[in-house]
Amino acid sequence: MTEVRDEETVRQQRRPEDEPGTGVVTAFGRQLKLLRTRAGLERAEFGKRLGYSADTVASIEQGRRIPQASFIDKADEALGAGGVLTALKEEVAKAQYPSFFRDAARLESDAHELFLYAVQAVPGLLQTEEYTRALLAMRRPLLDEDTIEQRVSARLSRQETFARWPAPLVSFVIEEAVLRKPFGGRDVLRGVLENILLIGHRRNVEIQVMSNDQEDNAGVDGPFTLITPKKGEQIAYLEVQGRSILVTDRNEVRSISARYGIIRSQALTPRESLGFVEKVLGEL
């Protein structure tokens, strides 16, 4: 079965927490404010105890900002909430991502294998904070600052995938052009290339570059991700222009998986690829 999440589908299936000021994010904020005021703490004092500004606390209480897991844990302990706040942590975490990406994020967080082919930008799992912020700032229509900050934090938190144990096998094939696009400026590009090199040396990660000089490229149909859960069959995830498709039909997934194998064979080897990234970095 192929699940298509186009704009109309997303609009019809959008859950309450997708909208600012509603759903679980607002429920969490109201509960936080109630517990804080009962404890007799002003926002500034409470924020200082947790290491956050009064403005950040206000944004969370008003449902304008999605709190990170670390904030929730600290707040629950500081207010003696006895798990009232941490009980909402999983649902709040889901609201970090755009609605069209939530299913993929859930699958990715528990994947046994991840294979990604990138043609437009450095994959989220390899991005730096500055690179992510630059990409989100270029979105049209414009995203508000709170949304940008939420999505930067959410995207960076996905990189915890690399630290899981047992570690998932992660493979990337990235088009050379992606490595040369100076989104956010040369310093930002330099930072993300350094991050690619850092992550590329992990034992469970293989990064390959598809050279611009390669005459044969099986990836002409565009980017995709293959996700293999710990329990279950491989799934393909496709995304473009805020629309997403989860492909679960065995024959379709098998075809995409075979295509990825061909793409890998056409790209530079992992060793050659890291050398190539170093070369591009040296040219900046």
Side-chain angles (χ1 to χ4, degrees):
M1 180 181 71
T2 302
E3 180 181 356
V4 181
R5 293 260 177 133
D6 60 17
E7 184 177 354
E8 179 64 17
T9 303
V10 169
R11 184 184 63 79
Q12 292 175 351
Q13 297 181 352
R14 185 169 287 147
R15 301 183 302 182
E17 63 266 33
D18 293 336
E19 299 295 345
T22 62
V24 68
V25 176
T26 294
F28 177 88
R30 289 172 179 169
Q31 189 68 51
L32 177 67
K33 183 178 180 180
L34 175 62
L35 291 168
R36 178 182 60 76
T37 54
R38 279 186 178 179
L41 295 172
E42 296 294 329
R43 282 174 177 159
E45 182 183 356
F46 176 64
K48 186 176 181 180
R49 291 188 182 186
L50 272 62
Y52 293 85
S53 69
D55 287 343
T56 297
V57 174
S59 294
I60 292 173
E61 289 184 347
Q62 294 162 10
R64 294 185 291 107
R65 183 166 184 167
I66 300 173
Q68 296 302 299
S70 58
F71 176 94
I72 297 174
D73 289 335
K74 291 177 182 178
D76 195 277
E77 182 178 356
L79 296 172
V84 170
L85 296 177
T86 55
L88 293 171
K89 188 159 58 173
E90 184 176 344
E91 287 302 313
V92 169
K94 293 178 183 177
Q96 295 181 93
Y97 303 105
S99 54
F100 66 83
F101 184 68
R102 287 182 188 157
D103 287 337
R106 175 180 53 82
L107 292 166
E108 178 186 87
S109 67
D110 194 44
H112 175 64
E113 295 178 340
L114 285 168
F115 301 156
L116 300 91
Y117 174 52
V119 303
Q120 296 154 329
V122 171
L125 287 172
L126 297 175
Q127 291 178 13
T128 60
E129 179 178 343
E130 294 77 14
Y131 188 90
T132 299
R133 184 170 283 109
L135 291 182
L136 293 172
M138 290 186 287
R139 288 282 178 87
R140 296 296 186 273
L142 293 172
L143 299 175
D144 62 72
E145 292 302 319
D146 282 340
T147 298
I148 289 176
E149 291 307 310
Q150 288 168 12
R151 294 191 182 179
V152 167
S153 180
R155 190 167 299 179
L156 294 178
S157 71
R158 289 169 52 202
Q159 296 180 11
E160 294 174 6
T161 293
F162 297 120
R164 283 196 281 117
W165 190 261
L169 174 62
V170 189
S171 168
F172 301 90
V173 178
I174 306 173
E175 289 287 335
E176 176 186 341
V178 170
L179 304 175
R180 297 187 180 278
K181 292 179 180 178
F183 295 136
R186 296 171 71 87
D187 288 342
V188 173
L189 178 58
R190 184 177 294 109
V192 79
L193 291 178
E194 290 173 348
N195 197 49
I196 289 172
L197 289 173
L198 183 66
I199 295 176
H201 281 97
R202 288 178 174 268
R203 289 190 298 138
N204 64 313
V205 177
E206 290 188 343
I207 296 175
Q208 294 178 251
V209 175
M210 180 69 80
S211 170
N212 287 341
D213 294 332
Q214 177 58 254
E215 295 182 359
D216 297 316
N217 187 337
V220 291
D221 285 343
F224 58 84
T225 300
L226 287 162
I227 306 172
T228 306
K230 290 179 181 177
K231 296 181 180 179
E233 299 192 16
Q234 193 174 59
I235 297 169
Y237 174 73
L238 316 178
E239 179 187 313
V240 62
Q241 297 294 327
R243 304 183 181 195
S244 63
I245 304 173
L246 278 177
V247 182
T248 57
D249 179 82
R250 288 184 180 181
N251 290 330
E252 289 185 72
V253 175
R254 189 179 296 116
S255 175
I256 296 172
S257 181
R259 188 178 309 145
Y260 188 73
I262 298 172
I263 291 171
R264 290 187 70 179
S265 72
Q266 295 169 334
L268 299 177
T269 68
R271 184 183 296 274
E272 292 170 339
S273 295
L274 292 182
F276 187 88
V277 175
E278 290 178 346
K279 175 178 176 292
V280 175
L281 186 57
E283 295 172 354
L284 293 177

